[in-house]
Amino acid sequence: MIHISAEDIDRCLTHAGLVDILREAFRAGAVQPLRHHHTVERPQGSDVTLLLMPAWSDPSNGTGETYIGVKVVTVSPDNNTIGKPAIMGVYLLLDGATGEPRALIDGQRLTLWRTACASALAASYLAREDAERLLVVGAGALAPHLARAHASQRPIREIKIWNRTPANAEKVAEALRAEGYHASMAGNLDAAVSWADIVSCATLSSEPLVRGQFLRPGTHVDLVGAYAPTMREGDDAAISRSAVYVDTRAGATKEAGDIVQAIKSGALALQDIKADLFELSRGERPGRQSPDEITLFKSVGAAIEDLAAGIAVYKAFNGETGPH
């Protein structure tokens, strides 16, 4: 069994390439049981969430080569106060026929890549083709990946970063500027939402941050945080004004606070969810219908994304393919 580090992953992947890999993965499908959630109570501070996310190649799709993968992830909100990422984890890739361990992959970095690229995959169907202005809400480890991934699919010319702590937003903007992006810190969130063509939100917020009243016609909203029913990033107005799409129906309708709470309040009905990534990737349901339509994509993460990214990294690391 080989060990693949975060730096190895960065050498093995490109954002545009991984978007295409995820597109093919959603077209082909995989077996992915609903992920396991466990709350690890702490006597002091916030509880830790333990997530177990298994998936394996669907033998019915005729691809021949099969793999099994499982990701073990912890989400520790208090890590931000000590300068560590909230999300930690590892990914174990196994041979689908023999069960032999093939690779132990850095789960934190793999999650950043696949999460950002899943959002960019959705944006390839839902964001306007001329979208140039990107707002990233949140300044965690995922923020620069979201900026790079969206820029791989749309002609992003300007990026703004908003965070409750302005200094953290400026750090992300500075890092992106060093890569050649036109990036800056956003001072007022509502004004930045009104400015943006794409709003990509990745926070651990339990209260809505993106308010629907400030969304301009034609905006695409990408909600990545709020992975639990008690969390929320967009308000009811953002949901009710938008054509709503999700990564997976099973996950989003059970775990995503933005969807669960909106259904409970009546701002959204189950039948109002237009499509998931399987349907979009297979062309079974349409994406954006008009230039003025407001679209909203809610991501909670899917094990099929980890499996596809893990296989791609493993093959590139072994020299079976070039960087994806």
Side-chain angles (χ1 to χ4, degrees):
M1 180 175 67
I2 61 176
H3 290 74
I4 301 178
S5 70
E7 293 74 23
D8 293 327
I9 293 172
D10 291 344
R11 287 190 289 268
C12 290
L13 296 176
T14 68
H15 291 91
L18 185 54
V19 168
D20 288 339
I21 287 169
L22 294 181
R23 194 188 316 275
E24 291 304 316
F26 276 100
R27 284 175 180 167
V31 180
Q32 50 171 2
L34 196 62
R35 65 188 179 187
H36 299 257
H37 275 255
H38 301 280
T39 299
V40 182
E41 296 181 355
R42 300 179 60 208
Q44 296 180 340
S46 303
D47 292 343
V48 173
T49 301
L50 173 65
L51 302 174
L52 307 176
M53 301 177 64
W56 52 90
S57 306
D58 186 349
S60 67
N61 63 25
T63 58
E65 196 173 32
T66 61
Y67 293 91
I68 302 169
V70 60
K71 187 168 72 173
V72 180
V73 176
T74 57
V75 183
S76 307
D78 292 347
N79 280 7
N80 293 326
T81 64
I82 57 175
K84 293 185 177 182
I87 298 175
M88 302 282 192
V90 295
Y91 193 76
L92 178 62
L93 186 68
L94 312 170
D95 185 287
T98 67
E100 178 184 1
R102 292 297 187 189
L104 190 65
I105 304 172
D106 185 282
Q108 180 184 342
R109 190 63 58 87
L110 192 74
T111 299
L112 295 176
W113 275 92
R114 66 81 151 150
T115 302
C117 289
S119 285
L121 172 61
S124 74
Y125 298 107
L126 303 177
R128 292 199 324 270
E129 292 189 4
D130 62 351
E132 297 181 341
R133 296 180 291 189
L134 171 66
L135 169 64
V136 178
V137 180
L142 185 57
H145 278 274
L146 284 167
R148 298 171 192 132
H150 280 297
S152 78
Q153 300 300 306
R154 289 296 184 263
I156 301 299
R157 296 181 181 274
E158 188 173 358
I159 301 169
K160 290 187 178 182
I161 311 293
W162 182 90
N163 190 256
R164 294 186 191 276
T165 304
N168 292 342
E170 177 55 34
K171 287 180 182 177
V172 175
E174 182 180 6
L176 289 171
R177 287 196 297 270
E179 297 176 24
Y181 294 101
H182 182 189
S184 61
M185 180 195 71
N188 182 279
L189 178 57
D190 291 338
V193 168
S194 296
W195 165 88
D197 296 322
I198 299 175
V199 178
S200 188
C201 193
T203 72
L204 297 176
S205 180
S206 58
E207 298 294 332
L209 297 171
V210 177
R211 297 197 283 173
Q213 70 186 92
F214 296 104
L215 293 171
R216 291 186 298 110
T219 303
H220 172 57
V221 182
D222 171 41
L223 301 182
V224 183
Y227 60 87
T230 56
M231 304 171 76
R232 192 93 189 254
E233 291 186 308
D235 65 3
D236 275 358
I239 298 291
S240 62
R241 292 190 65 198
S242 302
V244 176
Y245 298 78
V246 297
D247 53 358
T248 66
R249 292 178 185 270
T253 56
K254 180 181 179 182
E255 302 175 11
D258 288 290
I259 301 298
V260 172
Q261 293 183 40
I263 290 175
K264 185 176 181 180
S265 72
L268 179 73
L270 276 175
Q271 60 267 29
D272 291 335
I273 298 175
K274 302 294 185 182
D276 61 20
L277 282 180
F278 292 101
E279 294 163 323
L280 287 172
S281 297
R282 294 167 180 170
E284 296 171 351
R285 297 283 184 93
R288 170 174 289 274
Q289 295 295 287
S290 72
D292 290 337
E293 184 178 39
I294 298 173
T295 56
L296 184 147
F297 173 68
K298 177 55 198 161
S299 166
V300 290
I304 189 175
E305 299 162 4
D306 298 300
L307 181 64
I311 294 170
V313 168
Y314 173 69
K315 289 184 174 181
F317 185 85
N318 277 346
E320 297 178 36
T321 63
H324 294 282

